[in-house]
Amino acid sequence: MIGGFAYRAAAAILILPAGGYLALFFGLPLLLAFLGGFGLFTRGAETGFTLEHYRVLFGTQAYRDGLWFSTYLAIVPTLVSLSLSLPLAVALARTHPGQKLFNMLYKVPLVVPGIVAAFIVMTMFDRGGLAARALAPIGIDLPKLVRDQWAVGVIIATAWKAVPFMTLIIGGSLGAINRDILAAARTLGAGPWATFVRIQVPLALPGITAAFLLTFIGGMGAYAVPNLLGPVYPLPLSVHMYVNAFERNNWGLVSAMGTVLSLISIMVLLAYYRATRSMRTAYGGEAR
Amino acid sequence: MSTLHIDGVAKSFGGTTALHEVSLHVGDGEFVTLLGPSGCGKTTLMRIIAGITQPDRGSIRIDDRAIHALPPERRNIGLVFQSYALFPHMTVAANVGFGLKMRGIPRAQVAARVAAALDLVDLGALADRHPRALSGGQQQRVALARAVVIEPDVLLFDEPLSNLDAKLRDQLRDDLKILQRRLGITAIYVTHDQAEAMALADRILVMKDGRIVEEGAPVALYRQPRTRFAAEFLGQTNVIPVHLEAGQPLMPWDMVGFARTGIADRHVSLRPEDIAMTPDAEGPGEVRGVIFLGASVECRVAIGGVELRVRQSGSGVAIPEIGAPVRLAARIEPHPLAEGVHSALSVGDA
């Protein structure tokens, strides 16, 4: 039997490479951002504990709206993408003619950078864009889709990028379901829709949740696409962070904003782990 | 009260023919077994009956109701899978109740019928467990309860016992037989295990390369197989070439083979347990190999240019030495095989 101290020391040394890496490159920057929000170790400013940055963040209308807008840009494009990728993943799971080609084509947006996607949307849907010019002769006048109040352009560009990504993850989850289970549901009297709702979705839920959260967190911090295609007001917090950092040199406020964005993401992540934990107990060995 | 009629059902996958026009009629309450090696098309036929696979042509009826064009959910056929195929996210009770729920049966009635079905398979106490908390045998009993609770017209079994260990398999096999008899459900059972087929079936259909090659009651099929394939697939047998001498069919060791059949037959089947072996310094046989199997002793004996398997059972059986000279005698009249024999089982040529 190894002594308690030696055992613990050995464990600590073994954990050090992975744990140390995480602490150094993940924990420390987060900690600095967190402290910076309270005026401690702030870049390019005298340090001293203060709540001023948070007072400004929550006390300024534009920032409050920005926070809501960032959350909106995380939730809405994610929901839109999910509503498209879930049926797409189910359709792709079935065998059909041209399967190989389609399986390749739908992934194309994955390799196109977000900024390029934004410019594609702009070329297509801006006033005087391709879509408007194509539809004008038949009397259809497109509403304002770029830099509009509801950020439709942002939603289109984000969904264009996110749909293949989510389809890939959800498709993997759906594909892992034993086909006998689906056949069993059908012979027991469930039609295709009931099988989808009662069997496929619950069993693919870990994948669906993962796809949802990854897209959600990406949307929280999105900068380029909302900056190009989003409305003039409100601006998402990410754009405010850029302005405050590089135009106003107010790193304390930037830290506070980053901390709030991270906190929202972390809260969503915790909710995710809670959800998957209860799913794990429900599915047991079958959980993926 | 349901009879199943399958007429001219055929299926190809790409260039491979899985089923050549198969026709099959199963009587009300009859237990039919499809027996064959893997790849013979038996599982494909089962999936076509259930509606999971679409046939290229042919028709399927339950009584007078044509079902081949219906989706699986409208056929009222129960299916028990080799993989159990339980819903992992549902409790045992929810699994069993699923089919009733899909049929829109009121909740209270569902609960009562689920409880009754679980009692039927002795799993009433496990209703609130999830499948993962159950053993393989228990899971398959849940699957069985789930399939019978919907009162299907036809109950299909796709190698349901193959994933279980031997002891459990025998027990569940007996339970299954009793249950099917009690419920009087028309059933088709797919297996590659000949012992399982004989123990369960009223009638066995032997399949090979997408065709039903022979059918019959277990006793008849085992004792009087018509084809060499059936004779060899059900249990073990010796396929022995016969030659004619002065119009008399003779076995390789010049024993009169059989009297009752036409001279067209050139091979007979003689089961290892139907051969008596006695030591005899004069021969004409010689023991080539001995395997002790506990309940029986199996010997390979070279005689008249062929090698035969001989099985003797009981604790009093002597274990012969290899090379010992022996005399063989058929305990019963060897059974003639009608067709499908292309190569004689002969070691004399080898």
Side-chain angles (χ1 to χ4, degrees):
Chain A
M1 171 98 194
I2 307 168
F5 174 76
Y7 183 80
R8 261 177 249 143
I13 290 166
L14 287 172
I15 286 170
L16 197 62
Y21 175 84
L22 277 178
L24 192 63
F25 292 104
F26 184 73
L28 189 63
L30 262 187
L31 181 69
L32 283 178
F34 178 74
L35 293 175
F38 292 103
L40 302 167
F41 304 103
T42 313
R43 182 171 159 178
E46 70 225 58
T47 66
F49 180 81
T50 174
L51 292 174
E52 178 64 13
H53 302 310
Y54 282 96
R55 197 194 60 73
V56 172
L57 169 51
F58 291 111
T60 311
Q61 180 78 38
Y63 298 157
R64 276 204 309 269
D65 290 347
L67 181 58
W68 285 119
F69 192 55
S70 281
T71 313
Y72 171 85
L73 289 183
I75 291 174
V76 176
T78 306
L79 286 178
V80 169
S81 307
L82 182 66
S83 66
L84 293 173
S85 50
L86 195 53
L88 185 63
V90 172
L92 286 172
R94 301 208 178 131
T95 44
H96 55 82
Q99 190 164 23
K100 259 192 173 157
L101 181 71
F102 201 78
N103 259 318
M104 197 178 69
L105 280 181
Y106 91 87
K107 290 175 193 141
V108 166
L110 281 178
V111 298
V112 177
I115 188 88
V116 179
F119 275 105
I120 290 173
V121 168
M122 198 181 277
T123 321
M124 288 291 294
F125 296 107
D126 206 354
R127 285 281 153 92
L130 288 175
R133 268 186 280 168
L135 293 173
I138 51 169
I140 296 174
D141 189 21
L142 278 183
K144 190 172 161 65
L145 293 176
V146 171
R147 300 206 162 271
D148 64 304
Q149 188 192 353
W150 296 104
V152 175
V154 181
I155 294 168
I156 292 173
T158 311
W160 191 79
K161 278 287 292 171
V163 164
F165 171 72
M166 293 179 94
T167 305
L168 200 64
I169 296 179
I170 296 170
S173 244
L174 284 172
I177 300 172
N178 180 351
R179 283 183 172 253
D180 282 353
I181 288 179
L182 304 179
R186 295 295 300 274
T187 61
L188 288 167
W193 176 249
T195 306
F196 173 68
V197 172
R198 291 174 187 277
I199 310 294
Q200 287 180 293
V201 168
L203 290 181
L205 211 50
I208 294 170
T209 320
F212 184 95
L213 283 165
L214 290 170
T215 310
F216 178 92
I217 291 165
M220 282 298 289
Y223 172 80
V225 175
N227 203 21
L228 277 168
L229 301 175
V232 180
Y233 187 93
L235 292 172
L237 226 45
S238 55
V239 177
H240 285 300
M241 284 171 76
Y242 173 82
V243 171
N244 277 296
F246 296 104
E247 291 173 14
R248 298 185 191 150
N249 203 27
N250 189 354
W251 287 88
L253 183 57
V254 172
S255 297
M257 288 172 172
T259 304
V260 169
L261 280 183
S262 301
L263 275 179
I264 292 175
S265 293
I266 288 168
M267 267 154 41
V268 173
L269 249 163
L270 288 178
Y272 163 75
Y273 281 125
R274 228 187 126 117
T276 46
R277 197 170 47 236
S278 61
M279 271 185 281
R280 249 197 299 277
T281 42
Y283 300 163
E286 304 276 341
R288 288 171 302 273
Chain B
M1 297 292 109
S2 320
T3 54
L4 178 71
H5 307 273
I6 298 166
D7 287 297
V9 163
K11 177 73 184 175
S12 302
F13 294 105
T16 351
T17 306
L19 281 179
H20 300 272
E21 309 229 337
V22 166
S23 295
L24 160 64
H25 301 264
V26 186
D28 182 44
E30 191 183 13
F31 198 123
V32 162
T33 293
L34 297 177
L35 176 68
S38 44
C40 72
K42 55 193 194 301
T43 291
T44 302
L45 181 57
M46 176 127 307
R47 289 176 166 265
I48 287 173
I49 298 169
I52 301 161
T53 301
Q54 295 306 312
D56 297 337
R57 54 186 181 278
S59 74
I60 306 170
R61 282 181 298 122
I62 293 177
D63 298 329
D64 294 326
R65 190 165 66 98
I67 60 161
H68 52 268
L70 297 177
E73 62 269 23
R74 291 180 52 207
R75 294 190 179 198
N76 201 33
I77 285 176
L79 181 49
V80 179
F81 295 82
Q82 181 179 352
S83 64
Y84 321 136
L86 296 179
F87 307 130
H89 58 305
M90 297 183 191
T91 62
V92 164
N95 264 281
V96 177
F98 185 82
L100 299 173
K101 203 168 160 185
M102 289 298 109
R103 282 163 171 72
I105 287 163
R107 199 179 279 250
Q109 219 178 317
V110 170
R113 282 172 68 177
V114 167
L118 285 176
D119 283 344
L120 207 60
V121 294
D122 285 330
L123 286 178
L126 304 180
D128 296 326
R129 299 267 188 94
H130 276 85
R132 73 188 145 84
L134 269 51
S135 70
Q138 288 170 333
Q139 289 193 42
Q140 198 54 298
R141 271 149 63 198
V142 174
L144 184 61
R146 186 177 70 172
V148 298
V149 78
I150 60 170
E151 296 176 355
D153 292 326
V154 177
L155 188 53
L156 306 177
F157 297 93
D158 189 5
E159 310 217 18
L161 307 180
S162 299
N163 285 358
L164 303 174
D165 61 63
K167 216 165 197 146
L168 201 57
R169 192 159 56 218
D170 291 352
Q171 192 201 325
L172 202 51
R173 185 185 70 194
D174 298 345
D175 291 352
L176 207 146
K177 175 84 172 176
I178 294 167
L179 191 67
Q180 188 267 344
R181 281 278 176 282
R182 212 161 107 195
L183 300 174
I185 299 180
T186 307
I188 301 183
Y189 189 102
V190 158
T191 183
H192 63 269
D193 181 328
Q194 41 97 13
E196 217 168 275
M198 285 191 280
L200 286 169
D202 296 320
R203 184 155 57 104
I204 297 174
L205 293 107
V206 180
M207 288 189 73
K208 185 196 178 194
D209 300 335
R211 289 191 174 87
I212 295 171
V213 292
E214 193 167 348
E215 64 169 281
V219 175
L221 203 60
Y222 187 80
R223 297 197 175 154
Q224 287 108 37
R226 198 169 46 76
T227 63
R228 178 175 181 167
F229 183 76
E232 289 184 319
F233 200 79
L234 264 87
Q236 285 178 330
T237 197
N238 298 295
V239 176
I240 307 167
V242 174
H243 63 276
L244 290 172
E245 216 169 276
Q248 267 288 41
L250 294 181
M251 303 286 262
W253 53 93
D254 295 340
M255 182 183 88
V256 174
F258 45 94
R260 73 179 130 157
T261 113
I263 48 171
D265 303 311
R266 289 175 41 235
H267 289 82
V268 293
S269 158
L270 191 58
R271 302 262 180 210
E273 64 269 26
D274 292 330
I275 302 175
M277 185 175 84
T278 39
D280 188 333
E282 303 291 305
E286 186 195 324
V287 175
R288 287 277 175 83
V290 178
I291 304 168
F292 178 64
L293 293 169
S296 60
V297 179
E298 205 174 279
C299 300
R300 284 184 295 113
V301 177
I303 187 168
V306 297
E307 191 170 278
L308 302 185
R309 241 180 241 273
V310 179
R311 192 179 307 130
Q312 297 175 289
S313 53
S315 300
V317 171
I319 318 281
E321 298 280 325
I322 289 177
V326 290
R327 177 161 40 85
L328 298 184
R331 295 181 199 275
I332 58 158
E333 186 170 287
H335 181 75
L337 294 175
E339 43 95 18
V341 187
H342 301 296
S343 65
L345 185 116
S346 160
V347 289
D349 312 338

